Amino acid sequence: MAISHLYPEQRPTLNLNFALTKTLDPRLSFTRNTIGTYVGSDGLIKTAAAGEARFDHDPITGESLGLLIEYQFTNLVTYSEDFSNAAWTKDNITVSANQAVAPDGTTTADLIYPSSTGNARTIYQNFNNADGTYTVSCFVKAAGKNWVFIYNAQGNAKAWFNLSTGAKGTADGTITDYGIVAYPNGWYRCWVRTDNTTARYIFIGPADGDNSTAATTSGTNGIYVWGAQFEGVASGTPSLRKSRLTSYIPSTGSSSTTRNYDECKLDGTNFSNIFPGAGSDATFHYELRAGLGDHWANDPQIYWNFGLGTNQFIYCYQGSQTQITNLITAGGTTSALGQGVANDDHINGVCALKSGTTFKSKINGGTLKEATSSVPAMPACVYLNFGQYNSAYLKSRTSFRIS
């Protein structure tokens, strides 16, 4: 099967430009059994109803990022927006509730400030869950203090963040990764991740400067806080699935709250009307980018599947954490087709399949790769639950049926 042009001049039979249209093609089915949050074009946190697809945006530029697909995660924090509640232990900290406009546009952000001068003036919750990989996060804004530090584990996993410049400060202890994401009106979402933590907490405290837990009392000078989150996976979970920063999960009562996974599929007659099956050809173009807190250059991922089970193509599995690789499964036997392209947080790829005969793929401007053995027949669906292990944005996907 010669591919003289990877982008055919004919009109595509399926054109899913999620970033542009912010809608689902009616031929797609979508499920998520709980609410989910996303960032609107105005930079504010929005809530999508159960079963409603989320089209996310950059919180500062308003850029449309595409369809957000995430795996199921649970926020173990209770009263995630009410730091005055007794669920939060106060260590020489005063909390004044509902003092500022929060990242969702409501006046529900709390002010916390040191009630006396000293070290480790914090609010915190602790969790008796199993060892594993965990990420803590909170939306924070300066309110007289320009530094905040966050613990993920008691005493040995701290990170500092500059709320004046939006820069990361020092990190110590067992931290695996940490970051800060800017939101409108001076808000930042600060997050810390650790692996195999044995003492699991979320500590949040104002600080006088970087790499110091000291906080000097000066009236009500402190920080605004909103939307705390503790999420993760226990040890022994499949190695591809790791804890990362995901979309905010409101947990406003006395129990933890779970956001179920997103699943989007093209199957049944909606699929077969486009791809007639054995002997047919198809060409795909797709564009993906990493989800919140994901760095595909550091961790292996699965992005999306063409087919399921014993006959499928898994696009952009990053094998051995060194290069992008396609996994091809025919009759239950899987082989790898390395792309020779380094891992990247943005993927722009094109591939072509002649059912049961040849598969060709090119990603991020790399060399065209070809597989001619153990190539399955045309699969029966396109499965866009590539977030089954983590999270990702599907910006666009175009399918050309050749015959």
Side-chain angles (χ1 to χ4, degrees), residues 16 18 69 264-265 304-305 382-387 394 397:
L16 306 175
F18 298 118
I69 299 289
C264 188
K265 290 192 296 184
W304 62 278
N305 292 35
V382 176
Y383 187 59
L384 302 184
N385 188 14
F386 46 78
L394 181 58
R397 210 179 78 88

Side-chain angles (χ1 to χ4, degrees), residues 91-93 113-122 145 147 149 151 160 204-209 211-218 221:
D91 191 351
N92 293 291
I93 277 284
Y113 56 93
S115 52
S116 63
T117 297
N119 293 318
R121 274 42 187 159
T122 61
K145 296 286 188 184
W147 285 88
F149 65 96
Y151 286 31
W160 282 261
I204 305 165
D208 291 340
N211 201 26
S212 171
T213 63
T216 303
T217 300
S218 179
N221 286 345

Side-chain angles (χ1 to χ4, degrees), residues 81-352:
E81 298 171 15
D82 182 7
F83 298 85
S84 65
N85 190 275
W88 290 94
T89 300
K90 289 83 173 172
D91 191 351
N92 293 291
I93 277 284
T94 298
V95 178
S96 184
N98 302 330
Q99 294 298 301
V101 176
D104 67 347
T106 63
T107 307
T108 54
D110 294 351
L111 171 66
I112 67 171
Y113 56 93
S115 52
S116 63
T117 297
N119 293 318
R121 274 42 187 159
T122 61
I123 52 174
Y124 66 91
Q125 293 186 25
N126 65 294
F127 311 95
N128 295 317
N129 48 306
D131 292 352
T133 302
Y134 298 99
T135 298
V136 299
S137 60
C138 190
F139 292 89
V140 190
K141 179 179 178 178
K145 296 286 188 184
N146 289 326
W147 285 88
V148 62
F149 65 96
I150 296 178
Y151 286 31
N152 191 329
Q154 188 176 29
N156 64 352
K158 298 186 294 295
W160 282 261
F161 304 92
N162 189 325
L163 303 179
S164 175
T165 65
K168 295 194 298 185
T170 301
D172 68 7
T174 58
I175 285 177
T176 302
D177 199 3
Y178 68 116
I180 182 169
V181 181
Y183 281 75
N185 305 314
W187 283 98
Y188 295 94
R189 194 179 186 196
C190 304
W191 59 274
V192 177
R193 185 179 71 176
T194 57
D195 292 336
N196 300 317
T197 301
T198 57
R200 291 159 292 280
Y201 292 82
I202 177 171
F203 279 84
I204 305 165
D208 291 340
D210 187 24
N211 201 26
S212 171
T213 63
T216 303
T217 300
S218 179
T220 60
N221 286 345
I223 57 176
Y224 294 118
V225 289
W226 184 85
Q229 190 152 307
F230 184 105
E231 57 190 320
V233 294
S235 298
T237 303
S239 60
L240 287 179
R241 184 182 163 204
K242 295 189 176 183
S243 169
R244 289 172 175 80
L245 180 71
T246 68
S247 62
Y248 172 53
I249 305 170
S251 189
T252 55
S254 59
S255 301
S256 60
T257 302
T258 297
R259 179 200 60 243
N260 289 151
Y261 63 87
D262 301 280
E263 180 180 83
C264 188
K265 290 192 296 184
L266 176 73
D267 58 4
T269 57
N270 288 327
F271 181 89
S272 59
N273 287 341
I274 298 173
F275 305 103
S280 62
D281 300 355
T283 302
F284 297 90
H285 167 245
Y286 54 95
E287 184 179 0
L288 311 170
R289 61 168 290 172
L292 294 168
D294 274 356
H295 299 289
W296 290 343
N298 300 332
D299 298 298
Q301 301 278 319
I302 289 178
Y303 302 152
W304 62 278
N305 292 35
F306 180 31
L308 288 173
T310 58
N311 291 291
Q312 66 174 322
F313 299 87
I314 299 177
Y315 292 113
C316 298
Y317 172 90
Q318 300 194 161
S320 303
Q321 303 184 29
T322 57
Q323 68 169 317
I324 299 170
T325 303
N326 288 328
L327 295 185
I328 304 171
T329 301
T333 301
T334 299
S335 59
L337 179 64
Q339 294 297 301
V341 178
N343 295 341
D344 199 302
D345 288 353
H346 291 77
I347 301 296
N348 197 315
V350 62
C351 56

Side-chain angles (χ1 to χ4, degrees), residues 15-57:
N15 190 354
L16 306 175
N17 196 330
F18 298 118
L20 177 64
T21 66
K22 304 180 190 179
T23 59
L24 284 181
D25 186 287
R27 291 169 289 185
L28 295 175
S29 63
F30 179 87
T31 58
R32 188 189 59 255
N33 295 328
T34 62
I35 66 167
T37 66
Y38 64 100
V39 178
S41 58
D42 57 2
L44 298 180
I45 304 294
K46 311 290 186 181
T47 299
E52 179 184 354
R54 296 175 291 165
F55 299 94
D56 216 10
H57 301 80

